[in-house]
Amino acid sequence: MNLRSFRTAAWLGWKIESNWTDPFLFAVYSIIKPLAGAAILVVMYSVITKGDFAAPLFPYIYLGNAFYMYVGAVMTGVSWAIIDDREHYRTLKYMYVAPIRIPLYLIGRAVARFLTGSFSVLITIVFGALFLHVPIEAAQVDWLLFSVSLLMGVVLLALMGLTLAGVTLLLARHSDYLGDAVAGGLYLFSGAVFPLDVLPAWLRPIGYAMPITYWLELLRRSLVGSVAQAFPTLANLSNGQLLAILGGMIALAAVVAVITFRWCDHQARERGYIDRTTNY
Amino acid sequence: MSADYSIETESLGRVYRLRENKKKKGQPHELVALSGINLQVQRGELFGLLGPNGAGKTTLIKILTTLLAPSSGWAKVAGYDVHRETVKVRPLINMVSGGESSGYGLLTVRENLWMFSQFYGMQSAEAYKYIDELLATFGLTDRANTKSADLSTGLRQKMNIIRGFMTGPEVLFLDEPTLGLDVGASRDVRGFVRRWINEDPRRTLLLTTHTMVEADELCDRVAIINRGKVLACDTPAALKHELQQEAIFNLDVSAQNRLEAAHFETLPGVHKVQLTPFDGHSQLQFILAEEAVLSAVVNTLTERDVTILNLTKREPTLEDVFVTLVGRSMAEEEKAGSNGNGH
Ligand SMILES: Nc1ncnc2c1ncn2[C@@H]1O[C@H](COP(=O)(O)OP(=O)(O)O)[C@@H](O)[C@H]1O
Ligand SMILES: [Mg+2]
């Protein structure tokens, strides 16, 4: 029954995500949007470094930015379902009355965003490898490390999304921006667009406390091993150590997610927020 | 034995904390939506909650369907505590609110319904069969593959009602199911509600309404609720029987001078007067302690130069029951409520 409702939630998420009158436009949009994002980054990089695309910083930034798309897709995908169902479709109360596990339902709703997000990431990376000399060679890639890291990252982001979903339950107004705000805030502190060494020393601990930092590093190492050596940030940690740290942080994220969601869920029922709508 | 009750509440209360409002200083910061609710609904009953807007009906339904925590007391549905045992309660219930347009507009009617059947663990084939049956019953067959966004609000509400019945709940909650529906659709819904409850003695249905006729004609038992309190609870016949001693008259009169209800309220034996002015004439409704009081009323009318156009004696209705309990009609009560504690 849990599996069935998860599948159904994923089906609903897909229906909503692909609700374009023209499938062709949907496909074009799915390609254009990530490439446009990457293009902005490439232009900025080119201006700042005067076109030094051979430096290891370029693949570092390019890949960090590409994989960071998962953060918006999965984490906000999970929490967005709360707002969407409560405010837009007015069905959140019916989901709550139904005998489903709400966290599982929310994660199911995000599956579609994970899939379209994966497509965006793939397009961006292929484009980078083909046209921007991002040094990825299939034979050099550590596929096992890549798969394990990617999977761990998805679990991590789903758990973070659940925490965010709990908080969203309690925020009626303007919670639309919460997901974006969190994703945007973490962007600067996760080594996505610049290594943590660039940050002032007193801000770096934030980056080290951020599981996404280790996740992105693992993904970069699995795809382009050489990049990691260029930056001192995490250079003295082995892949195994990075995996262990990430695993520990995921366990912690799971505890935080369960406690936060339960508490917020309880509070939402105390305060009568399950079916509260904001009238703009 | 509490296990025999489908729905049971004891001293159930709910207080809403209102947010600070700088513009309206001096307003209370808490709103008592329900207090001291004791209800026992038997398995197999079609139970009605009758009360004006703001009485607390929706609040009670939200508590019984696990959406809202009570502030005091407890409630059980199908034998389980709705606050502590939500996981046990939810598979056994379902809920529909009228007068709103919920649902996934991008899905077809059939897809919307199928999706919810999956959340209740129904087999797809079996679900489709039942969905199609219900769509036919509610006259929605030709809309089965219409996106629900393209339905009128009335048809959307019917879809929603089907969603409630479809999952085979033991206890079904309908919050103003006919609100916003036209006369024909309301009749269809009432007819189905009655048949559904008669079909299987294990089923229980609680509906709220602020339509007197709906409570009177449809429900096995009715609780009259106002300002968060249950004022009376019995079969419609028994509730009206309380007023058997009283005599209820409708008078159409035409008056030269202004008439006021106050002119009659002081007469001994007049329990309640309601005056409704129309173009050129007025309607007076009297609840009198006994028929003999009528002569005093007629005398007063004559003294005031009032011509009686029409006089009818009628049977008591639930509206009269409400008026005797509260001292004013449901419509008056709604007006008073919205002036007092802000909506
Ligand atoms: N979420 C809420 N916050 C504050 N007050 C509320 C809330 N919901 C309902 N109320 C108030 O509680 C009272 C009962 O409301 P409700 O249960 O909706 O009544 P009904 O369904 O009988 O119209 C009303 O005065 C209403 O304004
Ligand atoms: Mg209501």
Side-chain angles (χ1 to χ4, degrees), chain A residues 1-263:
Chain A
M1 183 133 146
N2 281 335
L3 185 67
R4 184 190 298 236
S5 46
F6 180 80
R7 267 205 327 251
T8 310
W11 171 84
L12 174 62
W14 177 254
K15 283 282 190 182
I16 291 172
E17 203 60 21
S18 63
N19 183 33
W20 289 64
T21 38
D22 188 345
F24 177 72
L25 278 181
F26 175 56
V28 170
Y29 173 82
S30 308
I31 295 170
I32 300 280
K33 197 186 150 207
L35 290 186
I40 292 171
L41 193 79
V42 168
V43 169
M44 285 189 346
Y45 176 86
S46 162
V47 169
I48 292 168
T49 64
K50 301 194 174 62
D52 183 8
F53 286 102
L57 185 62
F58 180 66
Y60 183 98
I61 287 181
Y62 194 84
L63 292 176
N65 177 68
F67 283 106
Y68 201 83
M69 285 192 270
Y70 272 125
V71 177
V74 178
M75 187 177 74
T76 350
V78 171
S79 65
W80 174 251
I82 294 274
I83 298 171
D84 218 16
D85 278 3
R86 183 165 57 185
E87 299 273 349
H88 188 192
Y89 301 114
R90 315 256 160 140
T91 46
L92 189 64
K93 61 178 168 182
Y94 297 130
M95 295 301 174
Y96 255 86
V97 171
I100 56 175
R101 286 175 189 276
I102 293 295
L104 213 58
Y105 167 75
L106 295 174
I107 293 171
R109 280 285 297 270
V111 167
R113 292 231 185 149
F114 165 74
L115 293 177
T116 52
S118 297
F119 183 69
S120 299
V121 173
L122 185 71
I123 290 275
T124 309
I125 290 176
V126 167
F127 185 83
L130 290 182
F131 302 108
L132 299 170
H133 309 294
V134 175
I136 298 178
E137 282 167 47
Q140 306 284 305
V141 172
D142 184 343
W143 290 108
L144 181 64
L145 182 64
F146 176 76
S147 314
V148 170
S149 305
L150 189 64
L151 186 72
M152 287 171 89
V154 172
V155 171
L156 170 74
L157 292 172
L159 291 169
M160 290 171 71
L162 212 53
T163 307
L164 202 61
V167 177
T168 305
L169 260 181
L170 298 185
L171 300 176
R173 271 161 218 276
H174 312 307
S175 47
D176 318 34
Y177 309 113
L178 183 68
D180 295 336
V182 171
L186 300 183
Y187 189 57
L188 298 179
F189 297 104
S190 305
V193 277
F194 49 78
L196 291 185
D197 319 65
V198 174
L199 288 173
W202 59 277
L203 277 178
R204 276 177 225 164
I206 302 178
Y208 286 114
M210 216 61 83
I212 295 173
T213 308
Y214 303 92
W215 176 58
L216 291 177
E217 180 72 8
L218 278 164
L219 288 171
R220 285 192 199 100
R221 284 192 191 183
S222 68
L223 292 181
V224 287
S226 60
V227 166
Q229 273 80 56
F231 305 98
T233 322
L234 301 166
N236 52 0
L237 292 174
S238 70
N239 291 349
Q241 283 170 318
L242 283 177
L243 282 170
I245 293 172
L246 184 58
M249 286 186 158
I250 288 174
L252 193 67
V255 173
V256 170
V258 168
I259 291 176
T260 311
F261 193 84
R262 276 210 188 147
W263 186 81

Side-chain angles (χ1 to χ4, degrees), chain A residues 1 4-5 8-9 11-12 15-16 19 85 89-91 93-100 105 109 173 266 268-272 274-276, chain B residues 14 19 62 65-69 83 86 90-91 93 95-97 100 102-104 106-107 111 114-116 118-123 160 163:
Chain A
M1 183 133 146
R4 184 190 298 236
S5 46
T8 310
W11 171 84
L12 174 62
K15 283 282 190 182
I16 291 172
N19 183 33
D85 278 3
Y89 301 114
R90 315 256 160 140
T91 46
K93 61 178 168 182
Y94 297 130
M95 295 301 174
Y96 255 86
V97 171
I100 56 175
Y105 167 75
R109 280 285 297 270
R173 271 161 218 276
H266 186 258
R269 293 203 295 132
E270 289 287 339
R271 300 186 204 169
I274 303 291
D275 66 340
R276 187 170 74 163
Chain B
R14 171 68 207 195
R19 266 164 298 154
K62 282 200 226 171
T65 53
T66 77
L67 293 175
L68 184 68
H83 188 47
T86 53
R90 286 173 183 165
I93 64 169
M95 189 265 282
V96 179
S97 333
E100 56 160 42
S102 63
Y104 297 91
L106 57 119
L107 301 181
E111 284 172 334
W114 170 81
M115 183 183 73
F116 277 98
Q118 296 309 289
F119 291 145
Y120 284 78
M122 299 170 77
Q123 296 297 325
N160 225 343
R163 181 187 52 71

